[in-house]
Amino acid sequence: MTKQEALRLLKIIIQKDKSLPLRDQATQLVFGVGAPSAKIFFLGEAPGFYEDQKGEPFVGAAGKLLNQNLERIGIKRKDVFISNIVLFRPPANRDPEEKEIKSFEKYIDKMIAVVSPKIIVTLGRFSMAKFLKNVKISSVHGKIYKLQLKNKDIIVLPMFHPAAALRNPQFMDSFQKDFLKLKEYVKA
Ligand code: URA
């Protein structure tokens, strides 16, 4: 089975899983998007209003900022993979709850295993916490971490969430600098 087929199958399995939380209030499942063999995997938090409408992650204002920064470092959106740790929109864009994140975890892990990226860029503290426990995003953003996920070596680069960058000029500065870190990593 190709990676594309494996992802298509995974999407169908998630769509059929009636036990998943948030499904009833959401318009549709927001699966991942991008290259099935991407070297870079961006992992955000949860779909917002526009993502819920379109069925694609990061298509609103935060997505625009993500796209601009990808372009700035010479990477095309279609060449990376983008998803979230929660795949249905939480009501009124509230933060995802721990038990909701847990419910999606096996599917997110499978998605990562299929794509098998070289580096996972976490966007925001919720996806960061999947890999880095008991740390503050303000101290760890922009640093490269060599970790293990399901006994597989993985590189994680935590970044601020683009929505946080849009709200706070200091975070915006860090967000843009952290993209240069990603560029350095990709070049090396
Ligand atoms: N914020 C996220 O974390 N994910 C999206 O897909 C959109 C906004």
Side-chain angles (χ1 to χ4, degrees):
M1 200 190 300
T2 65
K3 289 185 179 211
Q4 193 166 10
E5 285 162 355
L7 289 171
R8 198 177 305 136
L9 189 63
L10 179 62
K11 185 174 179 181
I12 292 168
I13 291 168
I14 301 172
Q15 266 162 341
K16 285 188 178 161
D17 183 347
K18 298 286 182 268
S19 74
L20 285 170
L22 301 168
R23 162 190 291 285
D24 293 345
Q25 300 103 304
T27 306
Q28 59 185 316
L29 174 73
V30 180
F31 191 69
V33 69
S37 298
K39 298 280 177 281
I40 308 171
F41 193 123
F42 285 89
L43 192 57
E45 189 176 306
F49 176 82
Y50 293 103
E51 291 76 22
D52 177 70
Q53 293 291 310
K54 195 167 176 204
E56 182 176 330
F58 285 100
V59 292
K64 203 178 254 184
L65 183 63
L66 177 62
N67 295 348
Q68 282 166 358
N69 277 277
L70 280 170
E71 207 171 298
R72 201 165 58 89
I73 63 164
I75 296 173
K76 294 189 172 69
R77 179 176 163 112
K78 71 168 182 55
D79 292 335
V80 303
F81 200 84
I82 306 173
S83 192
N84 288 300
I85 50 167
V86 161
L87 304 178
F88 288 113
R89 181 193 183 208
N93 292 353
R94 66 156 168 75
D95 287 346
E97 292 169 4
E98 199 50 51
K99 62 179 187 307
E100 292 165 350
I101 295 171
K102 269 261 162 273
S103 307
F104 285 95
E105 193 174 32
K106 63 176 187 287
Y107 295 131
I108 307 308
D109 287 348
K110 178 71 183 168
M111 209 186 287
I112 294 171
V114 171
V115 176
S116 192
K118 290 252 179 301
I119 183 164
I120 299 177
V121 178
T122 58
L123 299 170
R125 63 200 163 95
F126 291 98
S127 56
M128 175 192 76
K130 174 172 175 57
F131 303 98
L132 302 168
K133 309 290 177 201
N134 303 316
V135 294
K136 284 196 159 163
I137 195 164
S138 50
S139 352
V140 303
H141 74 89
K143 294 184 182 152
I144 299 273
Y145 287 86
K146 292 183 179 149
L147 305 170
Q148 286 229 313
L149 180 69
K150 311 266 166 213
N151 295 322
K152 227 190 135 233
D153 292 335
I154 188 82
I155 306 278
V156 172
L157 171 58
M159 289 194 195
F160 282 106
H161 195 284
L166 287 168
R167 283 193 300 265
N168 181 326
Q170 204 182 323
F171 295 166
M172 178 66 90
D173 189 47
S174 300
F175 185 72
Q176 294 186 331
K177 285 190 178 131
D178 292 349
F179 259 83
L180 299 180
K181 270 276 164 64
L182 178 62
K183 184 180 182 184
E184 272 171 34
Y185 174 83
V186 172
K187 265 187 157 181

